[in-house]
Amino acid sequence: AIAKQVIARDGIQVDAFTRSVGDVADTEARTSADARNSRGFATRACDADLDDRMRVSIESAGSEDDSVGGVVECIITGLPRGFGGIWFDALDAELAKAMFGIPACKGVEFGDGFGLGAMRGSESNDGYRFDDGRIVTESNHLGGIVGGMCDGAPVVFRTVFKATPSIGKPQDTVNLRTEENDTVEVTGRHDPCIVPRAVAVVEAMAALTIADQIARGYR
């Protein structure tokens, strides 16, 4: 909360939402305003229909003593062009490091992410144009970061969270006492999906990263 106030003084805002839960995916292009509106839904989806479908997916998994994972998307607006460090202090490197510090995070991608691997340079490069005296990008395939620094476009990245491992279904394991194969069933209360709660954590970690880079002079 403090980091968000610190970066807000420079007009920077961090907003995240649930991009997918299980096999329910939001395929629409979303803005920071959409992400802020997701705070009105329990699953942190961007609209009521997706919220209902994601809720069903989570409840269905829970009713079967199972769990589901999903993807959180984060949008950072207001960063000035050239914001970020270089090498190991690069903006995308430090954001990725922060995301991997969140338990259950198993992957991070910026912009079109792994989809860039199927694109040619002429397709993935974000062209530049003047708009009322300002330099803007024609697209945002690279997620607003080039060479470790913000290119002026919104920084967009996604973080994937695995399904909760503590489930009631029998799972293969080993017994260290007997040194034999065994099974385990986890009892008690365990969330069938951590993704909706992870949205706030992604926002927090992103805000802390930006505030830290500001404190170190990477403006």
Side-chain angles (χ1 to χ4, degrees), residues 2-12 214 219:
I2 294 173
K4 282 189 173 184
Q5 294 177 63
V6 169
I7 66 178
R9 294 183 302 193
D10 290 332
I12 304 167
I214 290 175
R219 293 173 179 264

Side-chain angles (χ1 to χ4, degrees), residues 81 126-129 135-140 151-154:
R81 189 175 295 103
D126 296 313
Y128 295 93
R129 286 289 184 272
I135 298 175
V136 298
T137 58
E138 295 179 313
S139 55
N140 197 13
D151 64 4

